[in-house]
Amino acid sequence: MTERGYSSRSEAIRDAIRELLSEFDLRKLETGQITATITVISEHDRHDVDERLMRLRHEHDDTVSSNMHIHLGNRYCLEVFITEGDTADVLNFISRIRAMRGIQQVKYTITPLTST
């Protein structure tokens, strides 16, 4: 709780519930094309995380349009992925990142792409 910056247990639980509800809402999206910006934070000393993220990125070349790696001080790395593709493919990519050992945090914003 303290490590993540929550001032109380209630705040941590509220945040966890919001995240769970957000995941649930995403699963209800109809199939179609979406774009997502995915922000990943990991510890700088965990070089294995960088390698695994890059392997995953290459496995999803058809979905990942771009990515950027930034060092946040001496302790953390921030990776930003820009994706575009079918809802199921993008959500699968996000799920696989979340399942990785050594990842501190994953946040994302998804926007449906509609044809004009």
Side-chain angles (χ1 to χ4, degrees):
M1 212 176 66
T2 305
E3 203 173 286
R4 297 266 184 177
Y6 295 111
S7 60
S8 69
R9 233 182 349 192
S10 296
E11 185 181 343
I13 291 169
R14 272 192 303 275
D15 189 44
I17 290 171
R18 275 195 293 283
E19 191 68 30
L20 181 66
L21 290 174
S22 175
E23 279 283 315
F24 179 75
D25 287 342
L26 283 177
R27 299 289 176 202
K28 291 186 336 188
L29 277 177
E30 290 184 25
T31 58
Q33 296 294 302
I34 61 173
T35 183
T37 303
I38 306 158
T39 304
V40 180
I41 296 179
S42 62
E43 289 187 24
H44 185 272
D45 294 341
R46 296 286 309 260
H47 299 289
D48 61 316
V49 173
D50 288 341
E51 292 170 22
R52 286 184 281 136
L53 280 172
M54 281 307 97
R55 270 185 274 159
L56 183 63
R57 188 251 189 265
H58 289 295
E59 287 176 27
H60 290 85
D61 264 345
D62 56 331
T63 303
V64 178
S65 302
S66 182
N67 72 292
M68 176 175 43
H69 181 91
I70 301 169
H71 292 165
L72 302 173
N74 295 326
R75 186 162 181 198
Y76 297 105
C77 290
L78 176 128
E79 194 82 31
V80 178
F81 294 95
I82 308 298
T83 62
E84 180 182 346
D86 185 69
T87 301
D89 295 336
V90 174
L91 293 178
N92 177 46
F93 181 68
I94 293 169
S95 294
R96 292 197 50 201
I97 292 171
R98 286 187 147 181
M100 276 187 196
R101 181 168 287 156
I103 298 293
Q104 297 292 313
Q105 210 172 130
V106 178
K107 298 288 183 184
Y108 51 89
T109 303
I110 292 179
T111 305
L113 297 174
T114 57
S115 57
T116 54

